[in-house]
């Protein structure tokens, strides 16, 4: 028997550290780590000890005998990686670096951003005695996209929260949630009260299409739509046009597949997840029967990962189809094109909801007067190698752009408009100011990618500490006293307890509290409360 990495892999490499025979790759320090879609178990050298399953925070590793029918393709996928990358010269790696010594004096660090990047940075810092870390976030709840971005039907991926709860429990950790830097506190306040500040603010906005009609009602970003169905307090009450039979998603990354899947999912199945109750009520009355997912390039260049495509193809109550397979693309070019070609050959089942993937199609205009009625597109025909395009109008009542996230400038820090990142050297903006996560490297990688990213940034910070380049905090400013509505760790745990308690009553992981005032009220009550307005 061999263990198999499945769809929910977060690539944080906890399993690599746990494996006694070094059979999980790519490992930190190896080519491909942080760029591959997932990690892989070598079936030739796995000794079936199960140590990896204990270490995995998202239950991605399973014995091959326990795979569901939908997960069986992952057995071949793991094996295929080693056919291409044998790793025959590998030797067990010393993946845990020797503990470095830091000056005995207390080190105080502020982390701005309570998503995976910020919490991994806090975890790296708290490995050292005498370090205290205060994590700030403008939202009343932590975990960033792990809470508000991962689709509710991917509960296995959301189990990464177990890691974050362990980070929160460490001595020296504290929260100041519901605190916006630039409004409640300022960059100068943080610098005055800490030796260093790490910005891990992510990429909070989305890229624009830049075409006519983009501002019409019924045209929105998949980023906002995802936040809506996940109960993000800034988006929980947003209206979406679900009264038409077709929706169009522009872009074909993993977020596009998530959105298409949620729009076509059985509401009764979603009711067993932590989806926002407001979104669930809207989806119960939705008339959407088809979601068309458009990609500018061909099947071989599709941005979604193979694990996510495998999961989509395995849906048993929704037709997943590929429209007009390009004759110039060999079906066996890659595992991804092979699966897409299989989907292109499928026959739709009458009456089913469906997701249709279409390639070599670009939007030119969103149509409508007072709301979206359709989308004008230009298409490069199957097999056309001369760039010839045809135009077409697609009827739709909802158009969602899913063409990538983009960061906002951080007050007080330089910003590269071209890349949407803060310029840095290994995470160092200047001594005392650092970046981690998407604001550092752009919106790329997976949840676990933030771990190695944070390690690099914290290493730069500790180098500056050892070199005497950090200024001791003065203290006495607003960061230690002001903003009475800031939510600490006890407040977050009260929110968490309240959501989980309501979830147990309904047979769900949690029922999210989605209004800011209700979140604040729950945070103030150590006994928790039943959520209102969810």
């Amino acid at each position: 028997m061999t263990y198999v990495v499945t769809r929910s892999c977060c690539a944080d490499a906890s399993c690599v550290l746990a494996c006694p025979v070094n059979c999980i790759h790519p490992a930190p320090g190896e080519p491909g780590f942080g760029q591959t879609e997932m990690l892989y178990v070598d079936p030739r050298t796995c000794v079936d000890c199960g140590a990896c399953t204990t270490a995995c925070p998202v239950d991605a590793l399973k014995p091959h005998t326990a795979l569901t029918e939908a997960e069986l393709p992952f057995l071949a996928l793991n094996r295929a990686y080693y056919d291409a990358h044998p790793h025959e010269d590998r030797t067990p790696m010393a993946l845990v670096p020797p503990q470095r010594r830091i000056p005995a004096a207390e080190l105080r660090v502020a982390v701005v951003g309570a998503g995976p990047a910020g919490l991994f940075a806090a975890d790296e810092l708290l490995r050292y005695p005498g370090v205290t870390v205060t994590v700030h976030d403008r939202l009343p709840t932590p975990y960033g996209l792990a809470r508000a971005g991962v689709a509710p039907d991917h509960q296995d991926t959301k189990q990464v929260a177990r890691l974050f709860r362990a980070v929160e429990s460490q001595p020296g950790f504290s929260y100041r949630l519901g605190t916006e830097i630039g409004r409640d506190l300022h960059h100068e306040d943080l610098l005055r009260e800490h030796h260093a500040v790490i910005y891990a603010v992510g990429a909070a906005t989305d890229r624009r299409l830049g075409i006519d009609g983009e501002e019409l009602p019924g045209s929105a970003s998949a980023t906002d739509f995802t936040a809506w169905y996940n109960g993000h307090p800034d988006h929980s009450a947003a209206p979406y046009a679900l009264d038409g039979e077709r929706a169009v998603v522009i872009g074909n990354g993993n977020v596009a597949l998530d959105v298409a899947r949620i729009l076509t999912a059985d509401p009764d199945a979603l009711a067993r997840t932590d989806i926002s109750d407001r979104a669930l009520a809207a989806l119960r009355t939705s008339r959407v029967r088809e979601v068309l997912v458009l990609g500018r390039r061909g099947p071989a260049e599709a941005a979604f990962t193979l694990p996510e495509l495998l999961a989509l193809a395995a849906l048993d109550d929704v037709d997943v189809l590929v429209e007009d397979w390009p004759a110039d693309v060999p079906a066996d070019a890659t595992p991804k094109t092979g699966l897409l070609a299989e989907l292109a050959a499928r026959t739709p089942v009458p009456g089913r909801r469906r997701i249709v993937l279409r390639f070599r199609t670009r939007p030119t205009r969103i149509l409508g007067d007072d709301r979206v009625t359709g989308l004008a597109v230009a298409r490069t025909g199957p097999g056309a190698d001369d760039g010839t395009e045809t135009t077409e109008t697609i009827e739709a009542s909802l158009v969602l752009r899913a063409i990538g996230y983009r960061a906002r400038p951080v007050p007080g820090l330089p910003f590269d408009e071209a890349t949407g990142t803060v310029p840095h050297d290994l995470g160092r903006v200047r001594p005392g100011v650092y970046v981690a996560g998407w604001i550092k490297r752009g919106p790329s990688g997976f949840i676990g990618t933030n771990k190695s990213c944070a390690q690099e940034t914290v290493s730069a910070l500790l180098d500056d500490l050892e070199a005497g380049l950090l200024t001791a905090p003065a203290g006495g400013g607003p960061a230690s006293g002001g903003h009475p509505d800031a939510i600490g760790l006890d407040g977050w745990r009260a929110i968490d307890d309240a959501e989980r308690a309501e979830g147990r009553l309904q047979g769900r992981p949690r029922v999210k509290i989605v209004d800011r005032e209700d979140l604040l009220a729950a945070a103030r009550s150590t006994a928790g409360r039943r959520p209102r307005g969810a």
Side-chain angles (χ1 to χ4, degrees):
M1 183 171 71
T2 183
Y3 279 78
V4 180
V5 181
T6 59
R7 182 206 56 78
S8 60
C9 177
C10 71
D12 84 327
S14 296
C15 56
V16 176
L17 294 172
C19 178
V21 294
N22 196 32
C23 76
I24 305 176
H25 295 268
E30 293 179 341
F33 181 74
Q35 284 78 48
T36 56
E37 297 176 342
M38 54 188 279
L39 305 184
Y40 305 87
V41 172
D42 186 348
R44 300 169 301 175
T45 55
C46 175
V47 295
D48 188 27
C49 69
C52 56
T53 62
T54 303
C56 179
V58 293
D59 290 344
L61 282 137
K62 299 181 180 181
H64 83 270
T65 53
L67 297 174
T68 66
E69 184 175 352
E71 291 169 334
L72 285 175
F74 287 95
L75 180 60
L77 185 61
N78 278 246
R79 184 183 299 114
Y81 171 80
Y82 290 94
D83 290 341
H85 309 279
H87 287 282
E88 290 176 347
D89 60 344
R90 67 182 186 268
T91 56
M93 300 173 62
L95 296 177
V96 180
Q99 183 80 355
R100 65 194 290 174
R101 293 183 177 274
I102 65 172
E106 179 188 51
L107 174 65
R108 292 164 59 183
V109 180
V111 174
V112 181
L119 290 173
F120 278 127
D123 187 36
E124 290 301 316
L125 286 161
L126 291 170
R127 298 175 187 274
Y128 301 96
V131 177
T132 59
V133 178
T134 303
V135 178
H136 302 73
D137 200 287
R138 71 177 190 86
L139 294 179
T141 56
Y143 305 168
L145 289 179
R147 175 180 169 98
V150 175
D153 60 343
H154 281 354
Q155 288 297 310
D156 46 5
T157 304
K158 292 194 175 196
Q159 291 185 72
V160 73
R162 294 183 300 191
L163 274 179
F164 302 150
R165 285 195 288 272
V167 175
E168 296 167 348
S169 300
Q170 296 182 63
F173 182 94
S174 62
Y175 272 136
R176 290 186 64 80
L177 303 173
T179 301
E180 185 171 346
I181 307 304
R183 182 193 66 186
D184 305 306
L185 291 174
H186 297 277
H187 176 64
E188 295 75 14
D189 300 325
L190 297 176
L191 287 175
R192 182 170 58 250
E193 299 205 5
H194 301 85
H195 292 85
V197 182
I198 298 175
Y199 284 91
V201 294
T205 60
D206 63 284
R207 294 174 58 196
R208 308 285 292 180
L209 293 167
I211 60 176
D212 290 342
E214 194 168 6
E215 304 303 327
L216 281 170
S219 167
S221 75
T223 304
D224 291 349
F225 189 77
T226 300
W228 169 70
Y229 62 62
N230 272 310
H232 189 297
D234 290 349
H235 301 278
S236 64
Y240 286 97
L242 304 178
D243 55 347
E245 293 196 355
R246 181 184 290 120
V248 177
V249 181
I250 300 169
N252 59 13
N254 286 349
V255 172
L257 297 193
D258 283 346
V259 167
R261 205 175 56 251
I262 295 301
L263 280 169
T264 54
D266 179 358
D268 288 340
L270 291 176
R272 297 190 291 271
T273 74
D274 64 348
I275 191 171
S276 159
D277 280 359
R278 288 177 181 161
L280 180 61
L283 290 167
R284 284 194 182 281
T285 63
S286 169
R287 296 183 59 220
V288 174
R289 303 294 300 172
E290 176 183 281
V291 179
L292 183 59
V293 180
L294 305 182
R296 286 178 178 263
R297 297 184 293 174
E301 294 80 31
F304 47 69
T305 62
L306 182 56
E308 287 298 328
L309 181 63
L310 283 167
L312 190 74
L315 295 176
D316 57 9
D317 58 348
V318 176
D319 282 332
V320 180
L321 309 167
V322 171
E323 185 178 282
D324 295 335
W325 182 262
D328 60 333
V329 178
D332 59 354
T334 66
K336 186 184 292 185
T337 57
L339 179 53
L340 287 169
E342 289 179 23
L343 296 177
R346 284 186 179 181
T347 301
V349 177
R352 271 190 180 177
R353 296 179 299 276
R354 63 183 193 169
I355 297 170
V356 181
L357 308 180
R358 181 191 285 185
F359 299 96
R360 296 179 178 174
T361 304
R362 63 180 180 86
T364 58
R365 183 180 180 184
I366 297 175
L367 307 173
D369 295 324
D370 55 358
R371 58 167 292 177
V372 170
T373 59
L375 178 70
V377 300
R379 301 185 64 189
T380 303
D385 55 7
D386 59 356
T388 302
E389 290 188 331
T390 59
T391 58
E392 179 185 346
T393 297
I394 301 168
E395 291 186 6
S397 60
L398 177 66
V399 174
L400 298 172
R401 60 184 181 274
I403 55 174
Y405 292 87
R406 181 173 174 80
R408 296 190 182 106
V410 179
L413 273 63
F415 189 73
D416 185 334
E417 290 287 350
T419 62
T421 61
V422 171
H424 64 91
D425 177 20
L426 302 177
R428 179 192 296 104
V429 182
R430 57 181 179 270
V433 181
Y434 307 86
V435 285
W438 283 0
I439 192 66
K440 170 185 173 183
R441 66 180 193 275
S444 62
F446 309 96
I447 290 176
T449 309
N450 291 294
K451 185 172 184 176
S452 53
C453 176
Q455 289 171 340
E456 179 184 72
T457 294
V458 170
S459 180
L461 186 158
L462 295 178
D463 286 345
D464 290 347
L465 175 67
E466 292 175 352
L469 299 177
L470 303 185
T471 302
S480 59
H483 190 40
D485 286 337
I487 296 171
L489 178 57
D490 288 344
W492 158 236
R493 286 182 170 165
I495 294 171
D496 190 38
D497 289 345
E499 292 184 339
R500 288 173 178 272
E502 186 69 13
R504 285 191 293 271
L505 293 176
Q506 299 187 25
R508 301 169 63 182
R510 68 174 65 237
V511 176
K512 286 181 176 176
I513 305 171
V514 301
D515 289 324
R516 285 181 180 270
E517 289 304 316
D518 287 344
L519 287 163
L520 287 172
R524 295 187 186 110
S525 171
T526 56
R529 58 188 291 279
R530 291 176 65 88
R532 293 186 293 108

